[in-house]
């Protein structure tokens, strides 16, 4: 992931979260917004946020990330992304590590939730957002 901000540990966390999210969708599970906190040991914890809307769940997960005290955090959810003139289903991961001034948005496009969910293409980097810390 040359040229993408963040260290190897952050990139490893992002790919792990994307992979886990795709496995959940493929198994038929609902992908509630969640916050994944990783300490220096590499151990991570996941906290799911059920809410009336995805946006409310993401806001709650962002708040949890800020209070986590973790070295690296990721907030994940399932949504839509526009690519060209088409809308695609996508898993989003908003991630940041201590020392970075802003968070970073990664996505994995996938087939619609239904009979068989599969990734489309490779993960992508969408840019920066406000800090999670």
């Amino acid at each position: 992931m040359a040229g993408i901000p963040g260290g190897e540990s952050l990139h490893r966390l992002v790919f792990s979260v994307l992979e886990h999210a795709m496995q959940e969708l493929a198994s038929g599970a609902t992908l509630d917004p969640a916050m994944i906190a990783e300490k220096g040991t590499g151990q991570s914890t996941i906290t799911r946020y059920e809410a009336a809307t995805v946006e409310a769940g993401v806001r709650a997960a962002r708040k949890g990330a800020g209070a986590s005290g973790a070295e690296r955090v990721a907030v994940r959810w399932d949504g839509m992304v526009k690519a060209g003139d088409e809308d695609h289903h996508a898993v989003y991961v908003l991630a940041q590590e201590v020392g970075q001034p802003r968070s970073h948005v990664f996505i994995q496009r996938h087939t619609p939730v239904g009979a068989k969910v599969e990734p489309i293409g490779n993960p992508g980097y969408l840019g920066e957002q406000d800090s999670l810390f």
Side-chain angles (χ1 to χ4, degrees), residues 38-53:
E38 187 175 89
K39 305 289 182 180
T41 61
Q43 290 185 312
S44 60
T45 58
I46 184 168
T47 305
R48 288 173 173 76
Y49 294 86
E50 293 183 26
T53 65

Side-chain angles (χ1 to χ4, degrees), residues 45-85:
T45 58
I46 184 168
T47 305
R48 288 173 173 76
Y49 294 86
E50 293 183 26
T53 65
V54 170
E55 293 80 10
V58 171
R59 279 193 304 274
R62 286 182 71 109
K63 188 174 180 179
S68 70
E71 290 185 32
R72 282 169 292 286
V73 292
V75 173
R76 68 101 207 261
W77 69 95
D78 194 31
M80 300 294 290
V81 65
K82 192 164 203 72
D85 292 334

